[in-house]
Each structure stands twice: as C-alpha cells, then as structure tokens.
Amino acid sequence: MNQREVSELRRRFRPEKSAISRVYGCFVNGGGEIVSDLNESFGMMPSEEVEKYLSLLKKALSGALGRNLIDIVFSTQQVADSDEHRLLTALRDSALKDADARQTFYRKVIDALDMDGGNYLILLAHDAYDVPHRSKDDEIQPDASDQVFRYILCCVCPVKDGKVELSYYPGDNEFHISSSGQTVAAPELGFLFPAFDNRAANLYNALFYARNADQLHQEFIDAVFHTEAPMSAGEQKEAFQTALSDALDADCNLEVVQAVHEQLREKLLEHKESKSPEPLEVTTQEVGRILQTCGVAQDQAAAFQDTCNRQFGPNAVLNPANLIDSKRFQIKTPEVTISVDPEYSHLVETRRIGGRNYLLIPVEDGVEINGFPVGVETSGGSAAKK
C-alpha cells in the first residue's frame, strides 16, 4: 500500500462516510482473562461514542509507511492452505459475524501478546467500501464505483486506570475525591486485512500498525500471521550502523558519517517535496556509492554492502527514515554533547591541534550559555591585547 491508499481509507472513519455498523471485541485483564465481550451496534450508540470508536480504529492506519505501518506478506502456500489465512478470511467473509472465528482470534492474540501485564481492549470492525473510479487525470469520481473492498480492521488498545482528582458535587456543595475509572488509550498495535493495493483487495498482504516503530510486538505478528517478523525501525538503524562500523573500522570517522547523514537527509527532503505516495527506498549499492564519494575505498564499500546483505537480506531496499534521524545531528563524547541543526551539520569539523583532537564549530554573533547572551572573543579581541 502507498500513502495515498492509506489516506483514502482513513477518510472513511467518520460517521457520515463509514459503512461500519457494529464494533466487536473483548476486554482482557492483566491475567489474560476475557472480562467482557463486545458486540455493539453503532445505531444504538450516542454519536459521541461512535466517533470515539472510529477514532481509535482510524489510529491503526496512522504513522509512516515502513516505520509504523509495515507490509505483511503471505506466501502462496499460506494463502492456499493455512490456518492463519483461513481464520482471517473467515473473519472478513462473515463480516465478523462468525462468533467462533472471533473467539478463536481473541484466544490466539491473548495467548501470544505481551502487554506487560496490563489490561487491554481488542477491537474489530468490518467495512465494505464502494471504491470510486479514479479517472485518467487522477480525479476521484464518487458516483462511478469500480468494486467493493471488504476488509477488517483490528486494533489493540491499552486500558488504563483514570486519574484520581477532586471533583465538585453540586448536591453536597462540596469537593470530593473521584476517579474517571478505566479509560481506553490510543492503540498500541493493529492491522488491516486484506491490504488495499492498487485500490483493490490483495489477499497476499496485510498492513500491520505499531504505535512505537521500535517495538513491533513481533510475538503478535508471529501468532496472527505466522510470517517472519520484519526488523523494527530501531533494529534497522542499529544493523545499518553496525555494517558501517564493521566495514570501515578506523575510517568510520566524522566526515564519512556526516556525509552519509547529509545525503540521506537530502533524499528524504526531496521525497517529501515531491509528495510521492510511495515510501522512499534506497539500495545498499546506492549507500555504497555515497561512501565512495566520501573517499571510502572500494573494497570497504563492498564490505559494507556484503554486511548489509547478511543483515537485511540479498538485494535489500532500505528506508532512509529508519537509518538516520533526519531531524537531529548530535555528537557525544564522555564529557560533552553537541546538538546541531542537521541543515548546518557540515559546519562541524575535526582538527588536530597540539597533539590533541578537537571538534571545531565556527561562531559569530548570537552565542548563548543557558539562555544568556555572551560574546566570543578572538585572538584579536580586547582580552588578547591585555
């Protein structure tokens, strides 16, 4: 799925747009016991509650593709004959009305999911979307529907104890301690099945959501999809840094890392400006070429690519957003931490003076220490003349 297709589905999660008529689910306590089963009609709910349920479900389609939203790919064998795909298909084909399938799914999730002993709510919804025709000039024609996209959306939301506060009781004309009870927080994880690829159902894919891109809840992925769990964004970044460090060894210096950061950041900025719905990807060969432009030897660049192939798989494509922090450039020593606006990271350089290594940053006006403006005197300043 691309960003445009995700956004198209997200726009449906409003009462006037949605074809969702019921919400299903179960409330699970910290011991893995189902406390209550949810099977509620939106037609019987106050509009505020409907909007809240739709808002929770919609969040399972939020975040960045390749980071919070991850493609799950089923093998041909799984689609043809596997318990996991049969279960998801049964949930979808029955519009979640198959109670046995729902209970089987709940149990599969509960037995696998690690929520640190906390309570949580599993929510399920089914939607039938009359996909409007998109013309050659990329305009959507609402009255010209091509097909119906039937899908299920699941999200798992932590349930937290409410705050204890002083509240005013008009009858007593007094303030007393009260609690808002237990509240449902934003989803921790979720998924869409099947995927909405090329604005049609793709039974070979699902779209998985994780609120924290560094914690994909791989135990959930394994239990529900029985596929190899993808690397989280944090794991990808760590593997990329390890590949650079191992291949370059002592040549993995400030200038090289600086150049890699700048060029990957530039790709991210260009991709954002292009407004392309497809996630940005780079190959290990492209990163290898970046290294060679920084003066890295060809054999070291090749060693980096070999390490990446072992870490990420042969012919892997990488998401630059998972490899660098494009909004931060930080240099840290045991004694000092320096944060630089990434746009000006090129101003930082290293130099050896008097037998010691130094980080140099050119400064003019506008220097502050803890918010206090100070002057920076040079060798030609008044202090040097005294």
Side-chain angles (χ1 to χ4, degrees):
M1 289 179 66
N2 61 36
Q3 191 58 58
R4 182 179 294 167
E5 290 161 340
V6 173
S7 297
E8 185 172 345
L9 291 185
R10 278 175 55 82
R11 287 192 290 270
R12 292 190 51 73
F13 286 83
R14 291 178 289 181
E16 69 276 13
K17 294 274 190 179
S18 174
I20 297 173
S21 60
R22 303 187 75 85
V23 65
Y24 300 87
C26 62
F27 174 38
V28 184
N29 66 19
E33 301 170 319
I34 297 178
V35 177
S36 64
D37 200 286
L38 184 68
N39 182 350
E40 300 289 341
S41 168
F42 277 1
M44 303 296 290
M45 287 184 194
S47 60
E48 294 84 358
E49 289 186 17
V50 173
E51 290 178 7
K52 185 60 180 176
Y53 276 118
L54 291 176
S55 176
L56 289 171
L57 290 163
K58 181 180 179 180
K59 284 185 171 65
L61 292 172
S62 61
L65 287 168
R67 285 182 57 81
N68 308 94
L69 295 171
I70 308 294
D71 278 326
I72 299 295
V73 182
F74 295 103
S75 68
T76 302
Q77 178 59 38
Q78 282 182 294
V79 176
D81 183 22
S82 70
D83 291 341
E84 58 274 10
H85 203 275
R86 260 193 302 273
L87 177 58
L88 293 173
T89 302
L91 291 169
R92 179 218 188 199
D93 290 350
S94 70
L96 296 174
K97 294 176 183 177
D98 186 334
D100 290 339
R102 292 201 312 270
Q103 292 301 320
T104 300
F105 176 77
Y106 297 154
R107 199 68 258 167
K108 184 183 290 283
V109 171
I110 293 167
D111 290 345
L113 187 58
D114 180 8
M115 293 289 279
D116 295 325
N119 303 335
Y120 58 91
L121 176 67
I122 301 174
L123 284 180
L124 282 169
H126 173 271
D127 186 25
Y129 176 32
D130 285 319
V131 182
H133 176 71
R134 190 183 291 275
S135 64
K136 292 182 180 179
D137 57 2
D138 212 32
E139 290 294 323
I140 287 181
Q141 300 174 329
D143 297 330
S145 177
D146 283 335
Q147 58 186 311
V148 178
F149 173 55
R150 302 181 186 278
Y151 65 95
I152 58 172
L153 189 63
C154 170
C155 64
V156 179
C157 308
V159 177
K160 301 179 180 180
D161 292 332
K163 294 181 180 178
V164 177
E165 301 174 316
L166 278 174
S167 301
Y168 181 67
Y169 289 76
D172 299 334
N173 199 28
E174 295 174 346
F175 287 88
H176 297 289
I177 290 290
S178 68
S179 171
S180 56
Q182 294 185 311
T183 58
V184 179
E188 182 73 16
L189 66 151
F191 69 89
L192 168 83
F193 174 82
F196 187 52
D197 286 336
N198 296 317
R199 307 184 70 238
N202 178 2
L203 295 174
Y204 286 82
N205 284 63
L207 187 68
F208 176 76
Y209 165 78
R211 183 184 63 83
N212 186 341
D214 291 338
Q215 297 178 0
L216 297 186
H217 283 282
Q218 296 180 348
E219 76 283 0
F220 179 95
I221 294 173
D222 183 59
V224 174
F225 306 114
H226 282 275
T227 61
E228 184 177 349
M231 279 188 178
S232 69
E235 289 171 333
Q236 290 178 46
K237 185 176 182 180
E238 184 178 348
F240 179 74
Q241 291 173 342
T242 299
L244 273 178
S245 180
D246 289 352
L248 274 59
D249 197 18
D251 292 328
C252 189
N253 54 37
L254 173 66
E255 288 74 18
V256 169
V257 174
Q258 214 169 20
V260 170
H261 189 278
E262 287 179 3
Q263 294 197 43
L264 291 181
R265 179 176 176 273
E266 186 65 29
K267 287 181 178 292
L268 287 164
L269 291 175
E270 290 174 357
H271 182 262
K272 183 177 181 180
E273 290 174 1
S274 73
K275 297 183 179 179
S276 170
E278 302 294 339
L280 176 62
E281 295 176 338
V282 295
T283 64
T284 56
Q285 288 82 2
E286 287 179 273
V287 181
R289 286 193 289 270
I290 291 174
L291 294 177
Q292 290 187 62
T293 63
C294 306
V296 172
Q298 186 174 355
D299 61 335
Q300 289 178 308
F304 163 78
Q305 293 176 17
D306 289 342
T307 304
C308 283
N309 288 336
R310 291 195 300 272
Q311 296 272 24
F312 299 104
N315 304 315
V317 290
L318 311 175
N319 183 347
N322 293 344
L323 307 181
I324 64 166
D325 185 343
S326 63
K327 298 180 180 178
R328 186 180 68 155
F329 189 83
Q330 187 181 83
I331 303 169
K332 190 172 185 179
T333 75
E335 298 81 18
V336 178
T337 298
I338 303 171
S339 294
V340 183
D341 184 329
E343 186 177 353
Y344 301 102
S345 64
H346 62 277
L347 296 177
V348 184
E349 59 179 285
T350 56
R351 191 173 299 176
R352 191 166 183 83
I353 304 173
R356 299 187 67 182
N357 295 321
Y358 287 87
L359 288 170
L360 298 184
I361 305 173
V363 295
E364 299 294 341
D365 298 328
V367 179
E368 296 182 357
I369 297 177
N370 294 335
F372 186 80
V374 297
V376 181
E377 297 181 347
T378 65
S379 57
S382 57
K385 293 179 181 178
K386 292 181 181 178

